[in-house]
Amino acid sequence: MLKGLNHLTLAVSDLGRSIAFYQDTLGLTLNAQWDKGAYLSLDGL
């Protein structure tokens, strides 16, 4: 059984749209963003 998740890397074609989805739909917090990537976190994990 899965008890936790440390980190997950995803390759996406549209970074801005993906960040919006993860923030608005899944409730993740944007911690950092750069040209080709971003770091998001979920409270409690």
Side-chain angles (χ1 to χ4, degrees):
M1 174 179 241
L2 182 64
K3 296 178 114 183
L5 182 63
N6 183 285
H7 72 275
L8 177 66
T9 301
L10 303 173
V12 298
S13 59
D14 187 329
L15 182 61
R17 188 172 164 199
S18 297
I19 289 171
F21 170 78
Y22 289 110
Q23 286 183 298
D24 301 340
T25 305
L26 300 181
L28 276 69
T29 300
L30 180 63
N31 299 106
Q33 182 178 352
W34 52 96
D35 290 342
K36 294 186 178 184
Y39 175 77
L40 297 102
S41 62
L42 182 61
D43 292 338
L45 289 181

Coordinates of all heavy atoms in Angstrom, one line a residue:
M1 N 0.8 -1.2 0.0 CA 0.0 0.0 0.0 C 0.9 1.2 0.0 O 1.9 1.3 0.7 CB -0.9 0.0 1.2 CG -1.7 1.2 1.4 SD -2.8 1.2 2.8 CE -4.3 1.4 2.0
L2 N 0.5 2.2 -0.8 CA 1.3 3.5 -0.9 C 1.0 4.3 0.4 O -0.1 4.5 0.7 CB 0.8 4.3 -2.1 CG 1.5 5.6 -2.4 CD1 3.0 5.4 -2.7 CD2 0.8 6.3 -3.5
K3 N 2.1 4.7 1.0 CA 2.0 5.5 2.3 C 2.5 6.9 2.1 O 2.3 7.7 3.0 CB 2.8 4.8 3.4 CG 2.3 3.4 3.7 CD 3.1 2.8 4.8 CE 2.3 2.6 6.0 NZ 3.1 2.1 7.1
G4 N 3.1 7.2 1.0 CA 3.6 8.6 0.8 C 4.2 8.7 -0.5 O 4.4 7.8 -1.3
L5 N 4.5 10.0 -0.9 CA 5.1 10.3 -2.2 C 6.1 11.4 -1.9 O 5.8 12.5 -1.4 CB 4.0 10.7 -3.1 CG 4.5 11.1 -4.5 CD1 5.0 9.8 -5.2 CD2 3.3 11.6 -5.3
N6 N 7.4 11.2 -2.3 CA 8.4 12.2 -2.1 C 8.4 13.3 -3.2 O 8.3 14.4 -2.9 CB 9.8 11.5 -2.0 CG 10.9 12.5 -1.7 OD1 11.3 13.2 -2.6 ND2 11.4 12.5 -0.5
H7 N 8.5 12.8 -4.4 CA 8.4 13.8 -5.5 C 8.1 13.1 -6.8 O 8.3 11.8 -6.9 CB 9.7 14.6 -5.7 CG 10.9 13.9 -6.2 ND1 11.7 13.1 -5.4 CD2 11.3 13.7 -7.5 CE1 12.6 12.6 -6.1 NE2 12.4 12.9 -7.4
L8 N 7.6 13.8 -7.8 CA 7.2 13.2 -9.0 C 7.5 14.2 -10.1 O 7.3 15.4 -10.0 CB 5.7 13.0 -9.0 CG 5.0 12.5 -10.3 CD1 5.5 11.0 -10.6 CD2 3.5 12.4 -10.1
T9 N 8.2 13.8 -11.2 CA 8.6 14.7 -12.3 C 7.7 14.3 -13.5 O 7.6 13.2 -13.9 CB 10.0 14.5 -12.6 OG1 10.8 14.8 -11.5 CG2 10.4 15.4 -13.8
L10 N 7.1 15.4 -14.0 CA 6.2 15.2 -15.2 C 6.7 16.1 -16.3 O 7.1 17.2 -16.1 CB 4.8 15.6 -14.9 CG 4.1 14.9 -13.7 CD1 2.7 15.5 -13.4 CD2 3.9 13.4 -14.1
A11 N 6.7 15.5 -17.6 CA 7.1 16.3 -18.7 C 5.7 16.8 -19.4 O 4.9 15.9 -19.6 CB 7.9 15.5 -19.7
V12 N 5.6 18.1 -19.6 CA 4.3 18.6 -20.1 C 4.7 19.5 -21.4 O 5.7 20.0 -21.5 CB 3.6 19.4 -19.1 CG1 3.2 18.5 -17.9 CG2 4.3 20.6 -18.6
S13 N 3.7 19.6 -22.2 CA 3.9 20.4 -23.4 C 3.6 21.9 -23.2 O 4.1 22.8 -24.0 CB 3.0 19.9 -24.6 OG 1.7 19.9 -24.3
D14 N 2.7 22.3 -22.3 CA 2.4 23.6 -22.0 C 2.5 23.9 -20.5 O 1.6 23.6 -19.7 CB 0.9 23.9 -22.5 CG 0.5 25.3 -22.4 OD1 1.0 26.1 -21.5 OD2 -0.3 25.7 -23.2
L15 N 3.6 24.5 -20.1 CA 3.9 24.7 -18.7 C 2.9 25.6 -18.0 O 2.4 25.2 -16.9 CB 5.3 25.2 -18.5 CG 5.8 25.4 -17.0 CD1 5.8 24.1 -16.3 CD2 7.1 26.1 -17.0
G16 N 2.5 26.7 -18.6 CA 1.6 27.6 -18.0 C 0.2 27.0 -17.7 O -0.4 27.1 -16.7
R17 N -0.2 26.3 -18.7 CA -1.5 25.6 -18.6 C -1.5 24.5 -17.6 O -2.4 24.3 -16.8 CB -1.9 25.0 -20.0 CG -3.3 24.5 -20.1 CD -3.6 24.2 -21.5 NE -4.8 23.3 -21.5 CZ -5.2 22.5 -22.5 NH1 -4.5 22.5 -23.6 NH2 -6.2 21.8 -22.5
S18 N -0.4 23.8 -17.5 CA -0.3 22.7 -16.5 C -0.2 23.2 -15.1 O -0.8 22.7 -14.2 CB 1.0 21.9 -16.8 OG 0.9 21.3 -18.1
I19 N 0.5 24.3 -14.9 CA 0.6 24.9 -13.6 C -0.8 25.4 -13.2 O -1.2 25.1 -12.0 CB 1.6 26.1 -13.6 CG1 3.0 25.7 -13.7 CG2 1.4 27.0 -12.3 CD1 4.0 26.8 -13.9
A20 N -1.5 26.0 -14.1 CA -2.9 26.4 -13.7 C -3.8 25.3 -13.3 O -4.5 25.3 -12.4 CB -3.5 27.2 -14.9
F21 N -3.7 24.2 -14.1 CA -4.4 23.0 -13.7 C -4.1 22.4 -12.3 O -5.0 22.2 -11.5 CB -4.2 21.9 -14.8 CG -4.8 20.5 -14.4 CD1 -6.1 20.3 -14.5 CD2 -4.0 19.5 -13.9 CE1 -6.7 19.1 -14.1 CE2 -4.5 18.3 -13.5 CZ -5.9 18.1 -13.6
Y22 N -2.8 22.3 -12.1 CA -2.4 21.7 -10.8 C -2.8 22.6 -9.6 O -3.1 22.2 -8.5 CB -0.9 21.4 -10.8 CG -0.7 20.2 -11.7 CD1 0.0 20.3 -12.9 CD2 -1.2 18.9 -11.3 CE1 0.2 19.2 -13.7 CE2 -0.9 17.8 -12.1 CZ -0.2 17.9 -13.3 OH 0.0 16.9 -14.1
Q23 N -2.7 23.9 -9.8 CA -3.1 24.9 -8.8 C -4.6 24.9 -8.6 O -5.1 24.8 -7.5 CB -2.6 26.3 -9.1 CG -1.1 26.5 -8.9 CD -0.7 27.9 -9.2 OE1 -0.9 28.4 -10.3 NE2 -0.2 28.6 -8.2
D24 N -5.3 25.2 -9.7 CA -6.8 25.5 -9.7 C -7.6 24.2 -9.4 O -8.6 24.2 -8.7 CB -7.2 26.1 -10.9 CG -6.5 27.5 -11.2 OD1 -6.0 28.0 -10.2 OD2 -6.5 27.9 -12.3
T25 N -7.2 23.1 -10.1 CA -8.0 21.9 -10.0 C -7.6 21.0 -8.8 O -8.4 20.4 -8.1 CB -7.9 21.1 -11.3 OG1 -8.3 22.0 -12.4 CG2 -8.8 19.9 -11.3
L26 N -6.3 20.8 -8.6 CA -5.8 19.9 -7.6 C -5.4 20.6 -6.3 O -5.1 19.9 -5.3 CB -4.6 19.0 -8.2 CG -5.0 18.2 -9.4 CD1 -3.8 17.4 -9.9 CD2 -6.2 17.3 -9.1
G27 N -5.3 21.9 -6.3 CA -5.0 22.6 -5.1 C -3.5 22.6 -4.7 O -3.2 22.9 -3.5
L28 N -2.6 22.4 -5.6 CA -1.2 22.4 -5.3 C -0.7 23.9 -5.2 O -1.3 24.8 -5.8 CB -0.3 21.7 -6.4 CG -0.2 20.2 -6.2 CD1 -1.5 19.5 -6.5 CD2 0.8 19.7 -7.1
T29 N 0.4 24.1 -4.5 CA 0.9 25.5 -4.3 C 2.2 25.6 -5.2 O 3.0 24.7 -5.2 CB 1.3 25.7 -2.8 OG1 0.2 25.5 -2.0 CG2 2.0 27.0 -2.6
L30 N 2.3 26.7 -5.9 CA 3.4 26.9 -6.8 C 4.5 27.5 -5.9 O 4.4 28.6 -5.3 CB 3.1 27.9 -7.9 CG 4.3 28.2 -8.8 CD1 4.8 27.0 -9.6 CD2 3.8 29.3 -9.8
N31 N 5.7 26.8 -5.7 CA 6.8 27.2 -4.9 C 7.9 27.9 -5.7 O 8.5 28.8 -5.2 CB 7.4 26.0 -4.1 CG 6.4 25.4 -3.2 OD1 5.9 24.3 -3.5 ND2 6.0 26.0 -2.1
A32 N 8.1 27.5 -6.9 CA 9.1 28.1 -7.8 C 8.8 27.8 -9.2 O 8.2 26.7 -9.5 CB 10.5 27.5 -7.4
Q33 N 9.2 28.7 -10.1 CA 9.0 28.5 -11.5 C 10.2 29.0 -12.3 O 10.7 30.1 -11.9 CB 7.7 29.2 -12.0 CG 7.4 29.0 -13.5 CD 6.1 29.6 -13.9 OE1 5.3 30.1 -13.1 NE2 5.9 29.6 -15.2
W34 N 10.6 28.4 -13.4 CA 11.7 28.8 -14.2 C 11.3 28.6 -15.7 O 10.2 28.1 -15.9 CB 13.0 28.2 -13.8 CG 13.0 26.7 -13.8 CD1 13.3 25.8 -14.7 CD2 12.5 25.8 -12.7 NE1 13.2 24.5 -14.3 CE2 12.6 24.5 -13.0 CE3 12.0 26.1 -11.4 CZ2 12.3 23.4 -12.2 CZ3 11.7 25.0 -10.6 CH2 11.8 23.7 -11.0
D35 N 12.1 28.9 -16.6 CA 11.8 28.8 -18.0 C 11.1 27.5 -18.4 O 10.1 27.5 -19.2 CB 13.0 29.0 -18.9 CG 13.5 30.4 -18.8 OD1 12.8 31.3 -18.4 OD2 14.7 30.6 -19.2
K36 N 11.6 26.4 -18.0 CA 11.1 25.1 -18.5 C 10.7 24.2 -17.4 O 10.6 23.0 -17.6 CB 12.2 24.4 -19.3 CG 12.5 25.1 -20.6 CD 13.5 24.3 -21.5 CE 13.7 25.1 -22.8 NZ 14.6 24.3 -23.7
G37 N 10.3 24.7 -16.2 CA 9.9 23.9 -15.1 C 9.3 24.6 -14.0 O 9.3 25.9 -14.0
A38 N 8.8 23.9 -13.0 CA 8.2 24.5 -11.9 C 8.2 23.4 -10.7 O 8.3 22.2 -11.0 CB 6.7 24.8 -12.2
Y39 N 8.1 24.0 -9.5 CA 8.1 23.1 -8.3 C 6.8 23.4 -7.6 O 6.5 24.6 -7.3 CB 9.3 23.4 -7.4 CG 9.2 22.6 -6.1 CD1 9.5 21.3 -6.1 CD2 8.9 23.3 -4.9 CE1 9.5 20.6 -4.9 CE2 8.8 22.6 -3.7 CZ 9.1 21.2 -3.7 OH 9.0 20.5 -2.6
L40 N 5.9 22.4 -7.5 CA 4.7 22.6 -6.8 C 4.6 21.6 -5.6 O 5.3 20.6 -5.6 CB 3.5 22.3 -7.7 CG 3.4 23.3 -8.9 CD1 3.9 22.6 -10.1 CD2 1.9 23.7 -9.1
S41 N 3.8 22.0 -4.6 CA 3.7 21.1 -3.4 C 2.2 21.0 -3.0 O 1.4 21.9 -3.4 CB 4.6 21.6 -2.3 OG 4.2 22.9 -1.8
L42 N 2.0 20.0 -2.3 CA 0.6 19.8 -1.7 C 0.7 19.7 -0.2 O 1.4 18.9 0.3 CB 0.0 18.5 -2.3 CG -1.4 18.1 -1.9 CD1 -2.4 19.2 -2.4 CD2 -1.8 16.8 -2.4
D43 N 0.0 20.6 0.4 CA 0.0 20.7 1.9 C -0.3 19.3 2.5 O -1.2 18.6 2.0 CB -1.0 21.7 2.4 CG -0.7 23.1 2.0 OD1 0.5 23.4 1.8 OD2 -1.6 24.0 2.0
G44 N 0.4 18.9 3.4 CA 0.2 17.7 4.1 C 1.0 16.5 3.6 O 1.0 15.4 4.1
L45 N 1.6 16.7 2.4 CA 2.5 15.6 1.9 C 3.9 15.9 2.0 O 4.3 17.0 1.8 CB 2.1 15.3 0.4 CG 0.7 14.7 0.2 CD1 0.5 14.4 -1.3 CD2 0.6 13.3 0.9

